[in-house]
Amino acid sequence: MTDLAYTAEVARETAPVFDMLKDQYDEKHWENLAPYIYEINRLKKEKNAVILAHNYMTPDIFHGVADIVGDSLALAREAAKTEADIIVQCGVHFMAETSKILCMDKKVLIPDMKAGCSLAEGITAADVKLLREKYPGVPVVTYVNTSAEVKAESDICCTSGNAVKIVNALESDDVLMIPDKYLAQYTQTKTDKKILTYNASCIVHERFTPEDIRDFRARYEGVVVLAHPECPPEVLAEADYTGSTQQMIDYVEGEKPSRVVLITECSMSDNIAAAHPEMELVRPCQMCPHMKRITLPKVLSALQNEQPEVLVDAEIAERARLPIDKMLEMS
Ligand code: 13P
Ligand code: SF4
């Protein structure tokens, strides 16, 4: 049984992180979190494990224990080249599955097996087969927010960060982009190709409205509005910039707006605010219930027990790897 006390050593070792996060957590809260951070970082080294964390992780995970942070594309790239024996995926199930497909010889853990995604749940492999029958010869571009079985039926994958590039690089004039209707509609505005789509959406981003953005602009003079392409088109039409989670972070770090609002999951703003105290982040909170299943105690438990482990059938993984590899080559 690990002793999770807030000792002088734990306080000393975690002090730089607390310094960064003291606007997010008060001292009492920190005394509970710090022993987890200390023990996770110790165990990670002992087991040669790497923690890949999505940009929607809470600041304690994002700034406290993650080795690599990023959007789906960055995490897939890192998974493909890691030399660790164990990958702990702090994100949702499709991300862990993508890591496993790219590293079948490694142990891939997800701290909570129930961390799903409304997009991944919105389409099955059987649906893709039906679409292929309906649109013979049309290439199928599949968002990474899908199951391994769906990827296995696809021609190429994309993420929100490279969707436009991938679609424009295809030879065909018609493209089937699945399953996110909003990412497909956004991509349509950036290409001459005809994009056919499916009817799934993200339960987080579909909640934003154009009125929300007009309201932010009215209340926060000069605010720069960044939005994720999973938002409805009328929301994106009101934004100053559209990009993946990492592209939004890169925009903020490059352009250094003094006041900014991110039309995406709430932890993004918390993580940027911690790293950039000079910036004012207007923080609307739309929470992804799946991402929020990942907590420090569950990360520690996953590392200690090497469970829950994400497994992918070898034949499915072999077929799903092709569209992922194609995407990585092209982006
Ligand atoms: P990114 O690839 O932009 O990080 O998006 C993943 C996601 O699930 C957004 O909701
Ligand atoms: Fe899926 Fe939306 Fe959550 Fe991203 S924010 S993991 S797309 S449900």
Side-chain angles (χ1 to χ4, degrees), residues 54 56 91-92 94-95 116-120 143 145 180 201-205 228 230 264-265 286-291:
H54 186 259
Y56 292 164
V92 291
F94 77 79
M95 295 176 177
C117 168
S118 66
L119 284 167
Y143 196 23
N145 296 39
D180 185 358
S201 54
C202 161
I203 51 165
V204 177
H205 293 90
H228 194 278
E230 288 170 10
T264 191
E265 212 269 349
Q286 295 290 4
M287 200 181 274
C288 174
H290 300 292
M291 291 280 184

Side-chain angles (χ1 to χ4, degrees), residues 23-236:
D23 288 342
Q24 322 273 339
Y25 306 107
D26 63 27
E27 258 174 66
K28 208 79 230 120
H29 196 168
W30 187 252
E31 286 176 20
N32 289 324
L33 297 176
Y36 285 98
I37 292 178
Y38 179 84
E39 183 56 16
I40 290 167
N41 286 331
R42 190 196 66 74
L43 208 51
K44 210 168 65 173
K45 281 195 202 113
E46 187 183 297
K47 296 199 171 194
N48 190 26
V50 66
I51 297 188
L52 304 185
H54 186 259
N55 290 325
Y56 292 164
M57 290 296 101
T58 47
D60 51 349
I61 294 175
F62 187 91
H63 289 293
V65 299
D67 297 295
I68 307 288
V69 291
D71 61 6
S72 313
L73 180 60
L75 298 181
R77 279 201 187 114
E78 290 300 330
K81 62 181 194 219
T82 185
E83 288 185 356
D85 297 314
I86 299 177
I87 295 174
V88 183
Q89 194 89 31
C90 290
V92 291
H93 190 266
F94 77 79
M95 295 176 177
E97 230 179 26
T98 303
S99 293
K100 181 67 186 175
I101 292 164
L102 290 167
C103 322
M104 284 296 275
D105 58 327
K106 298 193 193 300
K107 193 174 261 186
V108 177
L109 307 172
I110 184 158
D112 189 323
M113 213 33 131
K114 290 202 194 109
C117 168
S118 66
L119 284 167
E121 281 140 31
I123 190 162
T124 65
D127 294 327
V128 186
K129 285 184 190 155
L130 284 175
L131 287 168
R132 281 205 184 273
E133 277 172 27
K134 196 168 166 195
Y135 303 107
V138 177
V140 177
V141 180
T142 297
Y143 196 23
V144 283
N145 296 39
T146 44
S147 67
E149 287 79 3
V150 166
K151 290 185 178 81
E153 299 298 330
S154 308
D155 293 303
I156 187 162
C157 285
C158 74
T159 70
S160 58
N162 62 18
V164 173
K165 191 172 179 181
I166 299 277
V167 164
N168 279 329
L170 296 174
E171 275 178 19
S172 169
D173 289 335
D174 293 351
V175 173
L176 189 52
M177 261 193 104
I178 56 170
D180 185 358
K181 61 180 174 186
Y182 293 138
L183 179 65
Q185 285 170 24
Y186 168 69
T187 308
Q188 184 66 82
T189 67
K190 304 277 171 197
T191 182
D192 294 333
K193 294 179 189 291
K194 182 174 171 217
I195 299 195
L196 307 160
T197 187
Y198 199 65
N199 196 23
S201 54
C202 161
I203 51 165
V204 177
H205 293 90
E206 71 182 1
R207 283 190 223 135
F208 289 105
T209 67
E211 291 72 39
D212 291 338
I213 300 187
R214 284 182 220 128
D215 183 47
F216 294 135
R217 290 201 195 275
R219 284 196 291 147
Y220 303 92
E221 202 189 331
V223 70
V224 175
V225 181
L226 314 184
H228 194 278
E230 288 170 10
C231 293
E234 58 277 17
V235 171
L236 298 182

Side-chain angles (χ1 to χ4, degrees), residues 248-265:
M248 283 192 242
I249 293 174
D250 293 345
Y251 181 101
V252 164
E253 294 187 336
E255 301 292 319
K256 303 192 183 344
S258 54
R259 200 173 231 191
V260 62
V261 59
L262 307 181
I263 307 301
T264 191
E265 212 269 349

